[in-house]
Amino acid sequence: MAKLLPCVVAMVAVLALCNLRLAAFVPPPAGQSLRHGVHMSTAVGAAAVLGAAPAAFADKIDDAATKLSEASYPFLKEIDWTSPVYGSLPNANPVKVLAVINKALVMGASMDSAALKKGVLAHASAIGHVDSKGMIPLPDYTAINAAIGHMIASVPKNQVIDVFNAAGDVVRKEEVGAYMKSLVNSGDAEAAYKAFWEFKDVVAAAQR
């Protein structure tokens, strides 16, 4: 189990990052650049250590996760999760991919262990419910979003930003955004992104 822990940490950290990449589909809200504005969106979180967070913050994060999940689920269902693009990073520089993994490992190692465990279990449960199209039920999606919010909450904001910046050098919005957005309903993608920013606002207030 000890030998598997780094792999689990890296996996969950990268999954958390993937959940924070909705910005690839639509531009950031007016007045906020992608490089600087989305930094705060990557700081989705509640407190330095989940166990020390006030219950009110935890309740708000969970409530916000429910709202985000319901608003973005139509968008999620439009994505072809069986596409090979999600199993690879076309034209990605291996050295830059390693840099992302390194930053994700650092962030994952800082995560509150209880939040990390809950996130791993939420993903494991969801994997058991994946259908033939690669989709998961809304309750699993909601649990994952809530868990990721708490996981990211338990690490310093600068570590989350480091992961985001490293990933930005691997998958660039200007290269994939328009194409990916063309595969889904534009209105649903924008609704999902708007809900994501609202989720960020709820939890970022307590981000360390």
Side-chain angles (χ1 to χ4, degrees):
M1 179 61 74
K3 292 182 178 180
L4 290 176
L5 183 58
C7 297
V8 173
V9 168
M11 177 191 71
V12 176
V14 172
L15 284 169
L17 173 67
C18 289
N19 233 45
L20 301 175
R21 295 301 292 183
L22 286 177
F25 290 90
V26 290
Q32 299 189 52
S33 67
L34 180 69
R35 177 61 61 177
H36 296 293
V38 182
H39 281 174
M40 280 304 296
S41 73
T42 62
V44 176
V49 178
L50 181 62
F57 280 123
D59 292 342
K60 288 181 179 179
I61 291 174
D62 292 341
D63 290 345
T66 297
K67 185 177 179 180
L68 165 64
S69 302
E70 291 175 349
S72 60
Y73 198 64
F75 157 76
L76 203 72
K77 292 191 292 185
E78 294 162 8
I79 299 173
D80 179 11
W81 294 108
T82 64
S83 170
V85 71
Y86 298 108
S88 63
L89 291 172
N91 303 319
N93 182 314
V95 175
K96 291 184 177 181
V97 172
L98 262 181
V100 179
I101 294 173
N102 178 54
K103 297 298 184 182
L105 284 169
V106 171
M107 180 176 72
S110 298
M111 286 180 177
D112 173 70
S113 59
L116 181 59
K117 179 179 179 179
K118 191 169 184 178
V120 170
L121 293 177
H123 281 87
S125 175
I127 290 172
H129 300 148
V130 172
D131 64 19
S132 60
K133 296 181 179 179
M135 268 296 297
I136 60 175
L138 178 58
D140 284 317
Y141 178 51
T142 302
I144 286 173
N145 282 330
I148 287 175
H150 291 304
M151 288 159 55
I152 301 299
S154 68
V155 301
K157 187 171 83 171
N158 67 290
Q159 291 184 359
V160 185
I161 291 174
D162 286 345
V163 175
F164 179 84
N165 287 340
D169 288 335
V170 174
V171 181
R172 296 184 178 277
K173 179 181 74 71
E174 61 271 18
E175 295 174 357
V176 301
Y179 170 72
M180 297 301 291
K181 189 179 179 183
S182 73
L183 302 179
V184 299
N185 179 283
S186 177
D188 289 340
E190 291 169 5
Y193 187 48
K194 180 177 181 294
F196 173 78
W197 274 82
E198 292 174 354
F199 179 61
K200 174 270 300 181
D201 286 339
V202 171
V203 296
Q207 176 75 29
R208 64 166 165 170

